[in-house]
Amino acid sequence: MAYLVQPDYVKYVCSCGQMKPITNLYFCRHCLKIRCGFCICHEVDSHYCANCLENMPSSEARLKKNRCSSCFDCPSCFHTLSTRATMVQPRQDPASGDAKVENKQPKKMYYLSCFNCRWTSRDVGIPDQPVASGGWPERVNPFANRFAQLMEYYKAIAQQEKQEKLDKERKKFAIRGNYITLTDKTGLTGAMARNRAGMPSSESTSSAIANFVTSQATEEVDELPDNYHTREVNLKMITTMPQRLASPEWQAQQVSRLQPIARPLSVKRSQRCRQCDHNLTKPEYNPGSIKFKIELLAFYHVPEVKIISYETIKPGVTSALLLKLTNPTAHEMQIQLIQPNEVPEIEEKEEPKNIEKSLEKSLNLEKDMSWKSVVERKPTLPSAIKVNNPELTFTLAQRDDAAEYDDDSHHDTNDIILWRKSNKLALRLQLTTDESAKAGLPAVAVIALQYTYRNTVPPTSTQPRDHTLYTTVTIDLGIVSQ
């Protein structure tokens, strides 16, 4: 039963030319093409803490530097810290008597502890807090003001460069009678347009650049202590490189100066097709849910190919290959095996460009489409092993979850079809290996599938629901034997 888990032996050729297992691919039902990780773009839907499952909007997460305010990680071993409670007797006031102290009840205090390495916040002198969450002191970086000035300065430079680029683009489309930008159509000034788009004004940008104070180098450097090279070094008291890089603002050198690290926030992301800009995956907003609103995985739309068994591959010898085809859709599917060179090339349609899109450029809302400049790679498919395709069209029934518990399989008298069971089909194929194939090289067979697909949600009502699609599959059969 080892053939049930083999995602790396059978790979599909994506529309961009990369070869990936079916579990790592997506299927766009608007473009009707297979997409890999390069053919999609990612968008952040929500931020949440993986420990306390607190959900927060993007603006709040940006203010908190993408950190949770109530959950912390251990600065020593990076495990999640737990809040532990302890009863503390109130301190005795010297001016008061002993009777008043006896009447006071013990107070509950909280501190952070790591169950993995036994590190506690008391080890570094952090006082216990009266509340379980939200009351831990925050350290202020002494260079915070300088960091803020640098951020404002570089933001102003980036905004100035964008504005210069937009001015050059406006001059290219200087045509009378047409509204090129939002300011030409509505009569708004440039400052009003920038305010509506949420961008800083030109005056604030120029003032931030003019008032910036550059750093000055100095020759005065503190001298090292006299015993710097002779004193004994205790490695247990010195922090490691991962511990220092975990808090880049402080980079404590001594273990006694380690502070709890605020836990980074996790994100729920949605993925879009780069060509048609439609969603391929979209998760639920609730951080505690693992379900998806949209989940267009290739595993649910493209026929799955698995290896049952195969004979040893030898040069100039015909061997047998047993494959299993599965129809994952809820509709009947017609499948035909063809050679890879018989797959027709379908060019992707590009949207016509018009002058109205310059409105998006004027507000910096145009999406980055630089990926289109990358030439689509055509993979070099091996040709030493040829699959003798039967001139037959196979019919696979729709997926039935209840049929998984049925042990009866229908055996056909055909020499090619071994058995049928629900939406599964086993085939016996013949492989012809070229005599020029060298022993010890990888034995990879390539086959193409022509299958029918019924689109349940077509882009428009005028387009047909049934389509004929193609996909190319590479099958890893080990190495060529002598």
Side-chain angles (χ1 to χ4, degrees):
M1 302 297 288
Y3 69 91
L4 295 177
V5 185
Q6 46 179 333
D8 296 332
Y9 297 114
V10 178
K11 294 184 179 181
Y12 291 70
V13 179
C14 178
S15 57
C16 67
Q18 298 192 40
M19 291 181 288
K20 301 286 184 180
I22 193 173
T23 53
N24 295 351
L25 294 175
Y26 305 87
F27 181 81
C28 181
R29 56 185 178 187
H30 300 274
C31 301
L32 298 177
K33 288 190 176 183
I34 298 176
R35 302 297 184 185
C36 65
F38 178 77
C39 305
I40 60 178
C41 56
H42 304 266
E43 296 178 355
V44 176
D45 284 348
S46 60
H47 298 76
Y48 70 97
C49 177
N51 186 42
C52 63
L53 297 180
E54 179 184 0
N55 203 348
M56 61 182 66
S58 301
S59 58
E60 184 179 355
R62 193 181 300 110
L63 292 176
K64 293 183 178 181
K65 299 180 181 180
N66 293 328
R67 300 276 181 171
C68 182
S69 57
S70 58
C71 300
F72 297 91
D73 289 340
C74 177
S76 179
C77 64
F78 310 116
H79 281 71
T80 305
L81 293 177
S82 302
T83 304
R84 303 196 67 178
T86 181
M87 303 302 294
V88 178
Q89 191 71 23
R91 295 182 179 180
Q92 181 180 358
D93 190 0
S96 61
D98 297 339
K100 294 183 179 180
V101 177
E102 294 178 356
N103 295 333
K104 291 184 178 180
Q105 297 294 332
K107 188 178 181 180
K108 183 179 288 187
M109 302 295 287
Y110 301 91
Y111 66 97
L112 298 176
S113 176
C114 178
F115 292 160
N116 184 51
C117 65
R118 301 302 179 183
W119 183 91
T120 62
S121 57
R122 295 177 175 180
D123 297 343
V124 294
I126 299 178
D128 297 348
Q129 301 298 320
V131 292
S133 61
W136 301 103
E138 296 182 3
R139 292 188 299 173
V140 179
N141 196 310
F143 304 101
N145 295 333
R146 184 58 179 172
F147 290 154
Q149 293 177 2
L150 291 173
M151 291 292 294
E152 292 180 1
Y153 175 69
Y154 287 115
K155 285 182 180 179
I157 291 179
Q159 185 62 32
Q160 187 178 14
E161 293 178 352
K162 288 182 180 179
Q163 188 63 32
E164 293 176 356
K165 184 179 179 181
L166 290 175
D167 294 339
K168 292 181 181 179
E169 291 178 354
R170 288 194 185 97
K171 292 180 182 179
K172 294 180 182 179
F173 297 99
I175 305 174
R176 293 183 179 181
N178 293 332
Y179 299 121
I180 306 302
T181 62
L182 183 63
T183 58
D184 299 332
K185 184 175 181 180
T186 60
L188 299 175
T189 62
M192 296 175 64
R194 282 190 292 270
N195 292 334
R196 290 197 173 190
M199 297 184 297
S201 61
S202 58
E203 297 179 358
S204 60
T205 302
S206 59
S207 61
I209 298 176
N211 298 332
F212 179 73
V213 179
T214 59
S215 302
Q216 300 294 333
T218 179
E219 297 181 356
E220 298 179 0
V221 181
D222 296 338
E223 296 182 357
L224 295 176
D226 297 336
N227 62 344
Y228 183 79
H229 298 284
T230 58
R231 63 186 179 185
E232 296 182 0
V233 178
N234 188 2
L235 297 180
K236 294 183 179 180
M237 304 301 296
I238 300 176
T239 56
T240 60
M241 190 60 65
Q243 291 175 352
R244 298 185 186 186
L245 296 180
S247 56
E249 296 183 359
W250 308 100
Q251 298 189 14
Q253 298 181 1
Q254 302 294 329
V255 176
S256 58
R257 290 182 169 271
L258 290 176
Q259 298 287 332
I261 305 171
R263 188 177 182 85
L265 296 177
S266 302
V267 298
K268 280 199 168 186
R269 59 179 182 176
S270 60
Q271 298 170 337
R272 290 182 179 271
C273 176
R274 287 182 181 267
Q275 180 65 26
C276 63
D277 210 26
H278 286 87
N279 278 109
L280 297 180
T281 61
K282 189 174 183 61
E284 293 282 351
Y285 186 76
N286 183 13
S289 176
I290 60 174
K291 297 181 179 180
F292 286 83
K293 296 180 181 177
I294 302 175
E295 192 176 13
L296 299 180
L297 304 179
F299 185 78
Y300 301 121
H301 300 273
V302 181
E304 184 184 7
V305 179
K306 285 186 177 181
I307 303 174
I308 298 178
S309 64
Y310 60 90
E311 295 180 352
T312 305
I313 307 299
K314 295 183 179 181
V317 178
T318 302
S319 55
L321 171 64
L322 302 183
L323 293 180
K324 184 178 73 170
L325 304 180
T326 306
N327 177 17
T329 63
H331 305 280
E332 192 177 80
M333 180 179 292
Q334 305 288 334
I335 298 180
Q336 183 180 0
L337 304 182
I338 60 177
Q339 294 296 334
N341 53 9
E342 300 178 4
V343 177
E345 296 184 1
I346 303 176
E347 298 181 358
E348 296 184 355
K349 299 180 180 180
E350 296 185 358
E351 298 180 358
K353 298 181 180 179
N354 50 15
I355 303 179
E356 295 179 357
K357 288 192 174 182
S358 60
L359 286 173
E360 298 179 354
K361 290 185 178 181
S362 62
L363 296 178
N364 291 336
L365 297 178
E366 187 182 20
K367 192 175 180 179
D368 184 17
M369 302 297 289
S370 58
W371 66 276
K372 286 188 175 181
S373 60
V374 180
V375 180
E376 292 187 355
R377 299 187 306 172
K378 294 183 178 180
T380 304
L381 301 176
S383 58
I385 302 176
K386 182 180 179 182
V387 181
N388 299 329
N389 299 337
E391 298 180 356
L392 293 176
T393 300
F394 311 103
T395 302
L396 289 180
Q398 64 272 16
R399 176 177 56 86
D400 187 6
D401 296 335
E404 295 291 336
Y405 303 97
D406 187 8
D407 296 334
D408 296 334
S409 57
H410 304 283
H411 295 269
D412 293 357
T413 57
N414 196 332
D415 295 336
I416 299 175
I417 301 177
L418 293 179
W419 50 262
R420 291 178 180 270
K421 179 183 177 182
S422 182
N423 61 332
K424 300 178 180 61
L425 176 68
L427 299 178
R428 180 191 293 109
L429 303 178
Q430 298 295 327
L431 301 177
T432 303
T433 307
D434 193 4
E435 296 181 356
S436 61
K438 298 181 180 180
L441 295 180
V444 180
V446 183
I447 192 173
L449 301 179
Q450 175 184 339
Y451 62 98
T452 59
Y453 174 75
R454 175 168 295 182
N455 193 359
T456 57
V457 186
T460 58
S461 58
T462 57
Q463 294 186 2
R465 299 182 62 185
D466 296 332
H467 305 271
T468 301
L469 305 180
Y470 302 87
T471 183
T472 306
V473 181
T474 61
I475 304 172
D476 187 2
L477 303 176
I479 60 175
V480 180
S481 302
Q482 295 181 356

